[in-house]
Amino acid sequence: MAAIARPRDGRLIGGVCAALARRFGMSATTMRVIFVASCLLPGPQFLLYLALWILLPAEKTAAGAW
């Protein structure tokens, strides 16, 4: 299983939804819609997003990239 990391491209706020979408083979837009819809339900979704934003490492750049 590949390590999950927040991508450098395609992120809107923290890149958490983009990272999860890449991990599960979905589009980032679909994952964002699922997250927003889940925020309508009671629970700690926003706190979980913040925790993942802090805990997930950012994707490393290529050796010669700017």
Side-chain angles (χ1 to χ4, degrees):
M1 178 158 52
I4 187 169
R6 294 179 295 118
R8 296 241 178 237
D9 58 337
R11 61 165 76 169
L12 285 182
I13 297 175
V16 174
C17 288
L20 292 174
R22 184 181 290 178
R23 172 64 185 97
F24 294 112
M26 304 170 70
S27 75
T29 304
T30 303
M31 187 59 74
R32 290 178 185 123
V33 168
I34 291 170
F35 174 73
V36 170
S38 75
C39 285
L40 299 175
L41 302 171
Q45 293 87 340
F46 188 70
L47 295 175
L48 180 63
Y49 186 91
L50 290 176
L52 288 173
W53 190 354
I54 293 168
L55 296 174
L56 287 178
E59 188 174 62
K60 298 194 188 303
T61 59
W66 292 87

